[in-house]
Amino acid sequence: MPARPSASRRTVLRGAAVAPVAGLGLAACSAPGGDSASATPTAPVDLGAESEVAKGGAKLYRDHNVVVSRDNSGALKAYSTICTHAGCPINKLQGTTLICPCHGSQFDATTGKVVQQPATEPLAELQVKAAGGRIIAGPGA
């Protein structure tokens, strides 16, 4: 019976060196902290004073993964700030443009629409209202 060729030491070491690098590539496309779907409000959340969001502007509420904008007529809109590309929490707002730290997707905070890929789906819209001078967002708001 012929002897089976064994892997050389070099082949084994090369495989051991590549495995962690491959794992990093997979981890780069996942959201920090695991499942981010639950990071969006699942109940109404008091975000703060209604006066914090100026007409024509937007405010990012990082702790709740929500952005709230106000159009020139005073109407409020709210969106989840969980990126639709890879599920990363968006942590940067420049003017009314949200910028995802993971892959650079950008969204319009007043419409939720993608303005720069790789994301192709808009942000999820959330219910929002002003009550007693406070902004309330999330299901049932």
Side-chain angles (χ1 to χ4, degrees), residues 35-49:
D35 180 20
S36 63
S38 63
T40 334
T42 56
V45 176
D46 183 333
L47 297 174

Side-chain angles (χ1 to χ4, degrees), residues 28-121:
C29 283
S30 65
D35 180 20
S36 63
S38 63
T40 334
T42 56
V45 176
D46 183 333
L47 297 174
E50 185 180 359
S51 60
E52 292 179 348
V53 182
K55 285 184 179 180
K59 179 167 169 89
L60 177 60
Y61 297 90
R62 286 183 190 91
D63 292 346
H64 299 290
N65 294 314
V66 174
V67 65
V68 176
S69 64
R70 184 186 300 272
D71 67 17
N72 288 324
S73 72
L76 296 172
K77 288 268 191 171
Y79 297 93
S80 165
T81 56
I82 300 300
C83 182
T84 57
H85 172 249
C88 296
I90 299 170
N91 62 4
K92 187 173 184 181
L93 177 67
Q94 280 185 328
T96 57
T97 301
L98 292 160
I99 303 167
C100 181
C102 292
H103 302 107
S105 293
Q106 294 184 13
F107 300 87
D108 183 329
T110 64
T111 65
K113 292 182 180 177
V114 176
V115 295
Q116 180 174 304
Q117 294 185 347
T120 58
E121 296 295 318

